Amino acid sequence: MIRAFSILWLVVFVPIVLLIIPTKINPIQRLNEAFSEHFYQQIYSVNFELLSNKLLNQPNEQWDITIQRYATEFAYPLKLDSLSDYEFDQSLHESLKNGQVSFLYGDPMALVQRVGSSDRVIYFALNESTELAVLNQARGTLFLAAEHLRSLPKEEWDADLARQNQLIPFSIRLKTQSELSDDALSALKQTINGPVSYVNNMGQVELLAAIEPGLWLHVQDDLSQTTQMKLTSAIGVLFFLLISLALVLWIFPLWRDLKQLVATANEFGRGHLSRRAKACKMTVASQLSLSFNKMADNIENLIAGQRELTNAIAHDLRTPLYRLRFALEMLDDEQTSATQREKYRRTIDSSIEDLDHLINQNLVLARYNRVADINQFSHCHFADCLKQEVEHFTLEHPNLVINLEVSQDLQQQQVFIDQNGLMRAVKNLLSNASRYAATTITLSFQCQHKHYVICVEDDGIGIAKTDVERVFEPFAQLENQERGSGKGHGLGLAIVKQIAHWHSGQVLVDDSSLGGAKFVIQWPQSFTMQPS
């Protein structure tokens, strides 16, 4: 189970992780970048055209002042950069040199374009960066903190800041210009007044608010980023745990049922034919277990039938073999008279015919005692075949009246059947009826309730209700304990039953209106394929 769970876990989570992590191979990020670039370039390209025209109509030394004046009207940063700042990306640098509006996918997203043929680039942010968001959140707080310090004597500033640092989870302190980093000085140059924010080399956001000339209130905000990381990590872990739990709840019943099925199959293979698989109906292995149980039932029934058939064959072979042995021994006896020798020769011929008939019947039963072969099925005029069979049977039994009844709609209709198999079944039923019929046998072929129906009736002694099921068992013979060759070996009706199953049908026994037995073979008209 651990191996199956690990494989499934990797299949589920590896693509999710690749989709979440912002990398160049992330298809979601690539699609987002492509759609964002196309959208923003169409919307804001006119801004660059207007700003570039205004700048090109002024001296270069006034460009920074002009951009700073317009920047106050934009919600997100607008500034002038140097063209050399973008040499880190060769393709981006080339597009800027060609004067194209280029898209930057980052924090924040931005559009950039070269101003004419100069070495300056207009940078226009499209959303709020992380440091700008932190600054906007802390702007009011910084103003209040700076105002509070100004209201106190300078000698109390350090003590007041120490007291505040004990109450808040991040560090606040005073810094002079000499203590500021290059990133801080660069951020101060781009801001005329008010607090500023920037990202240090550790990826943390720092804030500066002027207290007095040359002195700033410095705040290092590592809490927001840490809190965001904790929140993101908690959501990610919770998501992974929930999906993992769902995978376990799905795969554990499947693994349990498959393990039980394997154990059952091994037991069944070792000869415990009564073993059956057990599986919850709610799992995906339930259909597999049902199929296994159905297969096991068929195999057990087949083996039991073959065992019973083998035992019956051995019993039926014994009688003619004993007769043969006895007749041969008597022929070798010199005291046996000529009349007795002739009698024993007839016994030998009769026993050989009996053995030949028994072997042929067993071969026929073995043929029909397996899955149907679709190659044996075809469309034929079955009514004509029945007419020919009745004519031949009448010639063989001149003392019996054979009636044939075929529905009018089946006279010329073709049916999809195993013609040889069904004709063998009809012959077996007619032969069985001729043993018990007094004077009359009726054969009919009709359509009833979307089924083809063949009936063979006789006016004999009939069959008792207690013997109805037993007559279809191999070697079962009623009122015939000796099983002589003239009476058959009890395989005819077993063959009829198997042929009916070949056609997804069944064979039934009932009382005939003629007074004897009535055998009915019926199979669906919609039958087009061999039964499973």
Side-chain angles (χ1 to χ4, degrees), residues 150-390:
R150 294 191 196 101
S151 65
L152 298 175
K154 288 186 178 182
E155 58 270 14
E156 296 181 9
W157 286 4
D158 292 335
D160 186 74
L161 289 178
R163 181 179 59 82
Q164 293 186 40
N165 284 331
Q166 293 179 353
L167 300 177
I168 58 178
F170 47 83
S171 174
I172 302 178
R173 65 192 185 105
L174 295 174
K175 278 192 174 184
T176 61
Q177 186 168 357
S178 60
E179 296 175 321
L180 296 179
S181 65
D182 293 338
D183 292 331
L185 294 174
S186 176
L188 288 173
K189 289 180 181 180
Q190 298 179 13
T191 304
I192 299 176
N193 50 34
V196 298
S197 64
Y198 60 94
V199 179
N200 60 22
N201 55 4
M202 300 294 293
Q204 298 171 333
V205 178
E206 297 186 11
L207 303 173
L208 291 175
I211 302 296
E212 59 182 26
L215 186 65
W216 287 269
L217 183 67
H218 174 265
V219 178
Q220 182 170 322
D221 182 21
D222 54 356
L223 180 63
S224 299
Q225 186 176 9
T226 304
T227 303
Q228 184 65 29
M229 291 182 61
K230 289 181 179 179
L231 177 61
T232 303
S233 301
I235 294 175
V237 171
L238 180 61
F239 173 77
F240 274 64
L241 288 177
L242 289 176
I243 298 298
S244 300
L245 179 61
L247 292 178
V248 170
L249 293 178
W250 181 80
I251 201 173
F252 176 74
L254 176 62
W255 169 80
R256 178 196 60 202
D257 293 341
L258 289 178
K259 188 175 181 181
Q260 292 178 352
L261 182 59
V262 169
T264 302
N266 291 334
E267 289 291 321
F268 189 85
R270 286 193 286 266
H272 301 279
L273 302 183
S274 61
R275 291 297 303 273
R276 295 295 181 270
K278 297 179 180 179
C280 177
K281 294 183 179 180
M282 301 300 294
T283 64
V284 295
S286 59
Q287 291 294 327
L288 182 60
S289 298
L290 291 176
S291 298
F292 175 84
N293 291 340
K294 184 177 180 181
M295 177 200 70
D297 290 338
N298 293 335
I299 292 176
E300 185 178 18
N301 293 335
L302 181 62
I303 292 177
Q306 292 294 336
R307 185 183 296 115
E308 181 182 354
L309 183 62
T310 302
N311 294 335
I313 290 174
H315 181 277
D316 269 58
L317 285 173
R318 190 176 294 115
T319 299
L321 285 175
Y322 284 164
R323 291 203 303 265
L324 276 172
R325 176 181 295 177
F326 177 75
L328 290 172
E329 290 177 354
M330 294 306 296
L331 286 176
D332 291 338
D333 191 350
E334 296 179 354
Q335 298 181 358
T336 304
S337 64
T339 303
Q340 290 178 325
R341 287 177 182 274
E342 183 62 28
K343 175 182 176 182
Y344 290 134
R345 289 191 183 94
R346 288 197 300 269
T347 300
I348 292 174
D349 292 338
S350 176
S351 299
I352 292 175
E353 290 179 2
D354 197 10
L355 287 172
D356 183 65
H357 180 268
L358 177 60
I359 292 172
N360 288 335
Q361 287 292 90
N362 276 285
L363 290 175
V364 172
L365 181 61
R367 173 192 172 191
Y368 292 107
N369 199 22
R370 61 178 187 267
V371 178
D373 183 3
I374 194 62
N375 295 322
Q376 302 294 328
F377 288 76
S378 62
H379 289 87
C380 66
H381 291 95
F382 191 58
D384 294 340
C385 299
L386 293 178
K387 292 176 183 177
Q388 295 177 7
E389 178 59 27
V390 169

Side-chain angles (χ1 to χ4, degrees), residues 13-23 26 28-29 232 236 239-240:
F13 285 111
V14 168
I16 293 178
V17 171
L18 292 178
L19 291 176
I20 293 176
I21 297 177
T23 60
N26 189 331
I28 294 181
Q29 178 175 322
T232 303
F239 173 77
F240 274 64

